[in-house]
Amino acid sequence: MLMPEVILEIKNIHKKFDDQVVLNGINLDIHEQEVVSIIGSSGSGKTTLLRCLNLLNEPDDGHILFLGEDLMDPKVNLDHLRMRMGMVFQSFNLFNHQTVMDNCIMAPISLLKMKKEEAIQKAQILLEKVGMKRFEQVPVTQLSGGQKQRVAIARALMMNPKIMLFDEPTSALDPEMVGEVLSVIKDLAKEGMTMVIVTHEMDFAKEVSNRIIFMDQGVIAESGTPNELFKNPKEERTKAFLKRYAHERLI
Amino acid sequence: MMMILTSIPPKDEFFKTIIYLLDTYGSFFIRGVLITLLLSVVGTVGGFILSLFLTIIRNQDIDYKRDSWFEIAIKKLGIGFTKVYITVFRGTPMIVQAMIFYYGIAPLRLSFWNPLVAGLVVVTLNTTAYIAEVIRSGINGIDKGQMEAARSLGFSKRQSMFKVIFPQAIKNSLPAIGNEFIVNLKDTAVLSVIGVFDLFKATQSATSSNYRPVEGFFIAAVIYLILTFITSKLVDHLEHKKVKVVNVNA
C-alpha cells in the first residue's frame, strides 16, 4: 500500500519549562488526510506537544518538518508556514473587538491578499458549514462557547490550512455544547482534512481518529489505531489511564 | 457712576471686584483659557500618538535565536530608552521639566522657540510617559490568547499588535486617557513658570497691578472647574458607552 505523503515530521523534540521536563524526545509523523488524537492525563505534555507543532511554544531541541521546511531553522519564515497550519484553542481566542465575519476575513485579506468580496464569500460558505452563517454580523463577545468554537474553526479554515491543530477544543464548553463542535470536526475528518487533536473525549477520539497517541510524562507511551489502543492496550500505564478514565465516567 | 465702573471697587466688595476684573481683563481670561485648552489638547493627543510609538518599541520581543546581533542591540537600546524615558518623565515634576527644556534650549536661539512652544513640547513629552503606562496596563489586561490566535494565523508580532492588541487595549484605555486630559487642564498651570500665558498666568497678569489675587483666582478656579467638569462628563459618557456594549454582550 502506498503511504500518503508525510506533511508533518516531528523529530526528537525536547522541551523544558524551567527545570521541569515536559517533552522528552518526541518522534511523530503525520500523514496527509490522517487524523491523530493525542490523549493522556493532564501534565503528560500533550498540549505542549501540540503548541510546539506551530512553535507557539518553541522546543529546546529537535526538528519539525512541515511542507519540507524545518520550523526550527532560524532562517525559515515562520509566519509564512503558520499560515498553512490552522489552530483551534481551548479558550477559542476569537478577536473580541470584531464581528464573526471580521474574525474570518481579517487574516486572509491581509496575509493572503484575498479580495474582500472573495473573502466574504468564502467566509459565508464556511460559516454555513459550521452552522454560524446567520451570526455573521454579530460581535463575537455575544456568542456562546460552542458558537465561538465553531467560528474559530471557520476562521482557521479561511487560510486553507494543510493541517489543523485542535487543543482540547471542547474542554471549556458546557456539556450540551460539546456535540455541536465535535460534529463539525467529524465533518472535517470526512472531507479528508489532516488533523491533530488533543482531547479528553475518548469516544470522539475513537470514532474520528486513524491513530491514537497516548502520552505519559513527556513521551509517547503508546500509539496505535483506536482499536488497538482502546481494546488491546499493551502498556501498563495505558491500561491504568483507560481504566481510570472509564471509572471516572461511571461516577 | 462712570467713576465706579472704571476704577477698582473697595477691598470688601468681592463680587463687584470680580465683575470689575472680568470687565477690564476679560480678554486676558479668554486668551488664558484658549492657551490652557491648546496645551491640554495638544499634550493629550500628541502624548497619545507618541505613547503608541513608545509602546511598540517597549513591546518588542528579543528572539535570541532568529534576530541578528544588530537587531538585538537595537531592540535592547530601544527598550532601555523607553524605560528611562518613562521613569524620568514620571519621576520629576513637570515644572522642573519646563525649566530645563525652556532654558536649556533657549541658548540655541532657535527662531521658533518661545514659552508657548516649550510648554507644548513639555506637556506632550510628559503626557506621553503617563499614557504609555496607561496603554501598557491596557495591553496587560488583554488575554494572551488573543496574541497567540493572531500568531497562529500567520500574523507577525507587530501585525498582531496593530490589528488585534492595540484596538482592544486602546478602547479599554480611553477613559484613563480622558483622565489624562483632565489632569493636563489643571497641571498645565505650572507652565506659567516659563512664561506661558495660560489661564494661571493670565490671572496673575490681571491681578498684579491692582493686587486683587483672591478675586482673580476665584474666577480662574471657576473656569478650571467648568472645564474639568465638562470633560469628566464626556469621559463618563465614554465609559458608559463601553459598559453598555458589555451589557448587551452579557
Side-chain angles (χ1 to χ4, degrees):
Chain A
M1 194 183 97
L2 194 69
M3 265 310 249
E5 193 189 349
V6 175
I7 52 176
L8 195 62
E9 196 175 341
I10 298 132
K11 286 187 187 167
N12 198 26
I13 60 173
H14 289 79
K15 176 75 182 169
K16 267 194 217 169
F17 287 122
D18 301 319
D19 283 337
Q20 175 102 16
V21 177
V22 185
L23 297 178
N24 197 3
I26 302 279
N27 289 287
L28 183 63
D29 289 352
I30 313 281
H31 299 85
E32 189 148 25
Q33 304 209 337
E34 194 178 21
V35 178
V36 176
S37 291
I38 307 175
I39 60 171
S41 45
S42 42
S44 60
K46 55 192 193 305
T47 285
T48 306
L49 171 60
L50 191 82
R51 289 167 57 87
C52 279
L53 299 187
N54 65 355
L55 258 63
L56 278 187
N57 287 351
E58 185 156 357
D60 303 325
D61 197 16
H63 298 280
I64 299 167
L65 298 168
F66 176 57
L67 304 176
E69 294 192 79
D70 186 356
L71 269 64
M72 294 288 284
D73 178 355
K75 285 188 284 293
V76 102
N77 187 338
L78 195 54
D79 293 328
H80 208 80
L81 287 170
R82 279 189 178 133
M83 290 178 204
R84 310 303 310 279
M85 309 174 105
M87 181 145 189
V88 173
F89 298 85
Q90 182 177 350
S91 49
F92 330 122
N93 297 347
L94 292 177
F95 302 136
N96 287 326
H97 60 305
Q98 293 178 336
T99 61
V100 167
M101 179 55 81
D102 289 337
N103 261 273
C104 292
I105 64 177
M106 182 171 76
I109 288 176
S110 58
L111 298 174
L112 303 178
K113 307 294 168 215
M114 200 184 277
K115 290 251 186 334
K116 191 174 179 191
E117 305 78 57
E118 194 190 334
I120 289 174
Q121 262 181 13
K122 188 175 166 72
Q124 283 170 338
I125 293 167
L126 287 171
L127 288 171
E128 177 78 60
K129 201 163 111 178
V130 301
M132 289 298 294
K133 181 154 184 298
R134 64 198 176 90
F135 294 91
E136 61 178 69
Q137 293 313 326
V138 175
V140 294
T141 41
Q142 294 185 9
L143 303 177
S144 72
Q147 292 172 330
K148 283 182 183 172
Q149 198 60 300
R150 286 183 282 150
V151 173
I153 293 170
R155 176 178 71 178
L157 293 173
M158 285 296 290
M159 299 296 283
N160 292 326
K162 285 289 282 181
I163 185 168
M164 287 282 285
L165 311 174
F166 289 87
D167 180 15
E168 304 193 24
T170 58
S171 296
L173 297 179
D174 292 333
E176 70 269 24
M177 291 170 182
V178 170
E180 63 191 60
V181 171
L182 294 186
S183 84
V184 169
I185 301 174
K186 283 178 203 162
D187 287 345
L188 280 177
K190 277 184 209 133
E191 289 166 25
M193 176 62 77
T194 312
M195 299 195 277
V196 183
I197 306 167
V198 170
T199 186
H200 291 287
E201 301 281 337
M202 297 303 157
D203 295 329
F204 165 71
K206 209 182 288 182
E207 184 185 338
V208 80
S209 319
N210 310 109
R211 189 150 48 115
I212 310 279
I213 306 279
F214 170 65
M215 282 191 67
D216 189 48
Q217 296 181 5
V219 295
I220 295 177
E222 186 168 353
S223 79
T225 63
N227 254 333
E228 288 167 358
L229 202 118
F230 285 112
K231 296 233 172 79
N232 259 319
K234 293 185 193 70
E235 298 279 329
E236 280 311 313
R237 38 188 176 173
T238 318
K239 285 177 195 164
F241 171 76
L242 290 172
K243 208 169 146 188
R244 206 163 55 237
Y245 173 77
H247 181 66
E248 269 165 27
R249 222 170 42 143
L250 283 176
I251 301 173
Chain B
M1 281 304 278
M2 284 302 286
M3 286 298 288
I4 295 166
L5 267 174
T6 50
S7 75
I8 188 153
K11 281 249 170 192
D12 52 351
E13 293 278 7
F14 187 77
F15 289 106
K16 273 190 182 155
T17 309
I18 284 174
I19 289 164
Y20 166 82
L21 288 173
L22 284 173
D23 193 38
T24 316
Y25 297 101
S27 62
F28 281 42
F29 286 110
I30 289 169
R31 184 149 170 242
V33 167
L34 291 178
I35 299 284
T36 290
L37 279 173
L38 178 72
L39 289 164
S40 308
V41 170
V42 170
T44 311
V45 173
F48 172 66
I49 294 166
L50 290 182
S51 71
L52 290 182
F53 285 103
L54 220 56
T55 305
I56 292 162
I57 297 170
R58 180 157 66 171
N59 273 286
Q60 293 179 110
D61 276 338
I62 295 178
D63 186 337
Y64 287 97
K65 201 175 143 191
R66 292 179 184 77
D67 293 346
S68 68
W69 68 266
F70 184 71
E71 281 172 298
I72 293 172
I74 293 284
K75 282 180 178 177
K76 280 197 163 167
L77 215 63
I79 292 166
F81 167 78
T82 60
K83 282 185 183 157
V84 171
Y85 181 96
I86 289 166
T87 308
V88 167
F89 275 91
R90 288 185 359 129
T92 56
M94 187 156 74
I95 194 168
V96 172
Q97 296 160 16
M99 294 297 274
I100 292 175
F101 267 83
Y102 180 57
Y103 292 107
I105 293 178
L108 302 178
R109 300 191 179 286
L110 302 171
S111 57
F112 62 83
W113 195 247
N114 59 41
L116 180 60
V117 172
L120 289 168
V121 168
V122 167
V123 70
T124 303
L125 295 180
N126 183 279
T127 310
T128 300
Y130 282 93
I131 296 185
E133 282 300 281
V134 165
I135 292 180
R136 175 166 70 164
S137 65
I139 288 174
N140 288 344
I142 307 277
D143 186 273
K144 74 180 192 341
Q146 296 284 309
M147 174 60 87
E148 288 182 349
R151 298 307 304 273
S152 78
L153 286 164
F155 286 109
S156 68
K157 164 106 182 185
R158 186 164 302 179
Q159 286 170 323
S160 309
M161 290 299 286
F162 274 102
K163 289 183 179 289
V164 176
I165 307 299
F166 277 171
Q168 299 182 55
I170 290 168
K171 193 178 152 210
N172 294 345
S173 305
L174 279 181
I177 293 171
N179 280 329
E180 281 306 315
F181 181 72
I182 295 174
V183 168
N184 277 343
L185 282 172
K186 294 182 293 176
D187 285 7
T188 47
V190 303
L191 296 172
S192 59
V193 75
I194 55 170
V196 179
F197 200 82
D198 73 320
L199 182 53
F200 183 90
K201 186 81 179 170
T203 312
Q204 260 186 335
S205 305
T207 56
S208 60
S209 56
N210 48 42
Y211 203 67
R212 293 292 164 86
V214 176
E215 290 84 349
F217 281 99
F218 183 80
I219 296 171
V222 170
I223 298 175
Y224 275 121
L225 201 57
I226 292 170
L227 293 178
T228 54
F229 184 77
I230 292 173
T231 320
S232 69
K233 284 289 152 202
L234 285 172
V235 172
D236 277 358
H237 183 71
L238 262 176
E239 220 160 349
H240 253 84
K241 248 170 116 176
K242 205 183 105 197
V243 171
K244 230 162 87 185
V245 173
V246 174
N247 282 343
V248 169
N249 295 341

